[in-house]
Amino acid sequence: MTAPPITSKMTVGTAVKVVSVTVSALPAATSSPFTMAGTRVPLITVALPIKMAPPFTTGPSITVLPPIAMAISTVLPQVKVQDGGPHGAGVLGLHLEGPFISAKKKGAHPERFLRTFSGGGAAADLIDVYGGLDNVAVVTLAPELEGSQSAVDELRRRGVTVSLGHSVADLSQAEDAVRHGASFITHLFNAMLPFHHRDPGIVGLLTSDQIPPGRMVFYGMIADGIHTNPAALRIAHRAHPAGLVLVTDAVAATGLPPGRRTLGQQDVEICGPHVYVAGTQTLSGSIATMDACVRHFKGATGCSVEEALEAASLHPAQLLGITERKGTLDFGSHADFVLLDDELNVEATFISGQEVWRKTAEEQQ
């Protein structure tokens, strides 16, 4: 990826988002366009305005937050894989984060809605909770759960990328999941056991010598200046730079002023750059945009501009196996890219070669 011979930099993007879904339960709501057996099901709009969602943005979280199986299987079909355009970024697929996660590392997930795999088989459990997986790109699960290996096998058979997270797994359990086909780590360092020199846990996958030949483990980093200390960013980047994928962990309140907001059935509080479960100090996502994460990541690690941009474009495309059309500016790839100034602020956004947003003169001041 090279900059054009002008003062702006150009970076490839995916012009799509892997929309994150926190799977817990569905409350009643009065603002939803979808109805489920008399219950209004809240579904946050998929696409941010173009100026907030440059092509490489991972997008806001959709929170699927009660009869869980019926609720999720009702909501998920409403979010389709689709191309982007003037209306907004396209959608590569859904990232389902839960409910097969550890109660000990649940984060903002309501514990009463978490699930384990039953004796009836992981495939049946997955279908029972999620329904179809046609529009699903990534599923996060905790590899220490009994039956998780079968779940990884089934998800990979269906072409779904498996990510490890919200977990208390040790390194051997994480390595076993990778042998079964897991290839991603959900927001490294967050909602997992901390690094320990005798058992580094999931974090140890970054330098594990048990990764099958020809395979690579990618890992997400929330580079918002809150979720991950700059020193931790540097450690991860220097240990395994080729696998680093920048993620925002942004919730629906991104772009809104401080105050109390709703995330599914939970109230959250925006306090400056932080988002907390209301009344607690538990982080509940972020309000960072991807361009802000790129800038912070570059500043914290001292990496090159190219490395920072590839972490937000090429690496996620490699993770999903779509580099023939996304994540590069190679001949034949989709012409999805943003123009950045020297400070890596977004100047313009292009999707499929069409300019869909440009910063106005007032915004440049």
Side-chain angles (χ1 to χ4, degrees), residues 104-318:
K104 296 178 180 178
K105 292 293 181 181
K106 65 183 185 298
H109 295 247
E111 185 172 347
R112 64 190 181 278
F113 299 121
L114 303 186
R115 290 279 297 265
T116 57
F117 296 107
S118 68
D125 292 327
L126 293 168
I127 298 305
D128 178 54
V129 171
Y130 298 142
L133 294 167
D134 292 344
N135 295 301
V136 175
V138 184
V139 168
T140 291
L141 53 77
E144 72 275 15
L145 296 179
E146 186 174 354
S148 64
Q149 297 92 339
S150 296
V152 175
D153 291 338
E154 179 64 19
L155 289 167
R156 291 303 302 131
R157 188 182 71 80
R158 292 170 176 264
V160 176
T161 296
V162 179
S163 186
L164 310 180
H166 285 279
S167 166
V168 293
D170 58 29
L171 178 57
S172 64
Q173 291 168 323
E175 289 171 335
D176 188 49
V178 172
R179 283 189 286 269
H180 280 265
S183 57
F184 192 50
I185 303 171
T186 298
H187 42 56
L188 186 75
F189 298 124
N190 288 273
M192 63 186 61
L193 291 178
F195 181 90
H196 190 279
H197 61 284
R198 292 196 181 94
D199 190 334
I202 291 177
V203 177
L205 289 176
L206 271 63
T207 58
S208 172
D209 59 0
Q210 299 300 307
I211 307 302
R215 297 267 306 283
M216 182 190 296
V217 174
F218 291 85
Y219 59 98
M221 293 293 294
I222 308 174
D224 62 351
I226 298 167
H227 280 78
T228 310
N229 186 278
L233 277 174
R234 289 190 289 272
I235 289 171
H237 175 250
R238 292 173 188 177
H240 186 26
L244 194 150
V245 174
L246 289 177
V247 296
T248 64
D249 208 37
V251 299
T254 301
L256 299 179
R260 182 163 291 205
R261 309 294 174 188
T262 300
L263 178 63
Q265 69 174 13
Q266 293 183 323
D267 287 337
V268 297
E269 199 82 40
I270 301 177
C271 303
H274 301 79
V275 184
Y276 298 114
V277 176
T280 76
Q281 291 297 301
T282 299
L283 288 172
S284 183
S286 81
I287 53 173
T289 56
M290 182 56 75
D291 55 326
C293 289
V294 168
R295 291 191 295 271
H296 178 73
F297 172 63
K298 180 181 179 298
T301 63
C303 70
S304 67
V305 170
E306 291 77 13
E307 287 179 295
L309 298 179
E310 287 183 350
S313 53
L314 176 63
H315 295 179
Q318 290 172 330

